[in-house]
Amino acid sequence: RAAGQPLGAFLAARLFAPLGMAHTGFVQPDAARLAEPFATDPLTGAAWAVPAQCFDPTVPPRLHAGGAGALSTAGDYLRFARMLLAGGTLDGVRILSPASVRLMTTDHLGTAVANAAYVGEAALQSPGYGFGLGVAVRLADGGASVPGSAGEYFWSGTAGTTFWVDPREDLAVVFMAQAPGEMRLRLRRLVRQLIYQAL
C-alpha cells in the first residue's frame, strides 16, 4: 500500500530483478516447472495427512503475502540467501543496508515471550531459537538439538523447503523438497547434520 503497487510488483522491481532472480514470483503458469510431492507419505505409505498442495501456484493469487506463497528455483533462492550472508549486497548490487540485515537477524522476542525457546519447534523440532524480523534466530551454540552456531538464522516453507545462513561459518544453504508432513522435518534435520559434519 505504501508503494502504491501490489507486493509482487514491488518485490519484482526492488528485490527479484536487481538480484537476478528471474525465476521467482507469485505464480508459475507452466505446471511442468513445478515440483510435485509423492501421492503417499514414503514413511507410512498413507495418503498425506494434510493437503500436499496448499494453493494452486499456476493461478495468480488475489493477494501476495509477505510470509507465504512465493515460488522460486534453488538458484534464485540461493542468490537471496547469499545476499543476506554478505550483509545486504550481492555482485555489487545493494538490496539492504548492513544495519537492516542485523536488525532482521537479531532476536526480538527475548525473555518477555514465554515460548521464545520454541520458535524452532515447528520447522526443526528443536528449541533454542528466538525470532527476528522474518527469520528464526539461533540464540546460542548450545541449547538446540540440531547443529548450528549462535546467530544462525533460517526460515522454512510449508511443503519442505528451507534455507539458513550461518555467518560464523560463512555458510548459506538452500534445501528444496516437496515433502509435506513428518518427512519434511526429518529431511530438514538430516540435511543440517550432513552439512555441518562436512565442515
Side-chain angles (χ1 to χ4, degrees):
R1 183 176 295 265
Q5 60 187 150
L7 179 63
F10 179 83
L11 289 175
R14 298 284 294 270
L15 177 65
F16 304 151
L19 275 182
M21 298 171 65
H23 306 287
T24 302
F26 286 88
V27 65
Q28 175 48 258
D30 183 0
R33 296 200 62 204
L34 298 169
E36 295 291 340
F38 296 120
T40 59
D41 185 335
L43 295 176
T44 66
W48 292 112
V50 295
Q53 186 172 313
C54 301
F55 62 95
D56 185 350
T58 65
V59 177
R62 291 181 59 216
L63 173 69
H64 300 150
L71 307 164
S72 192
T73 62
D76 277 11
Y77 205 166
L78 185 58
R79 291 189 63 77
F80 174 75
R82 289 178 53 218
M83 176 272 295
L84 291 176
L85 177 63
T89 188
L90 184 66
D91 297 336
V93 176
R94 175 147 307 277
I95 301 297
L96 298 167
S97 71
S100 293
V101 175
R102 281 193 304 275
L103 189 63
M104 286 174 57
T105 60
T106 299
D107 176 43
H108 290 272
L109 297 181
T111 58
V113 179
N115 67 347
Y118 300 101
V119 174
E121 289 286 347
L124 289 174
Q125 292 181 322
S126 175
Y129 287 85
F131 201 74
L133 303 180
V135 291
V137 180
R138 188 173 180 125
L139 302 175
D141 287 341
S145 61
V146 293
S149 309
E152 165 251 310
Y153 50 93
F154 80 91
W155 198 241
S156 301
T158 300
T161 296
T162 192
F163 94 101
W164 79 89
V165 173
D166 187 333
R168 185 185 298 172
E169 298 291 346
D170 193 30
L171 179 69
V173 177
V174 171
F175 175 71
M176 296 188 117
Q178 186 61 286
E182 184 184 343
M183 178 63 82
R184 69 181 173 174
L185 303 175
R186 292 179 70 166
L187 291 175
R188 286 173 185 160
R189 293 173 65 88
L190 178 62
V191 75
R192 276 181 169 264
Q193 290 169 353
L194 292 172
I195 286 174
Y196 280 102
Q197 285 173 355
L199 295 180

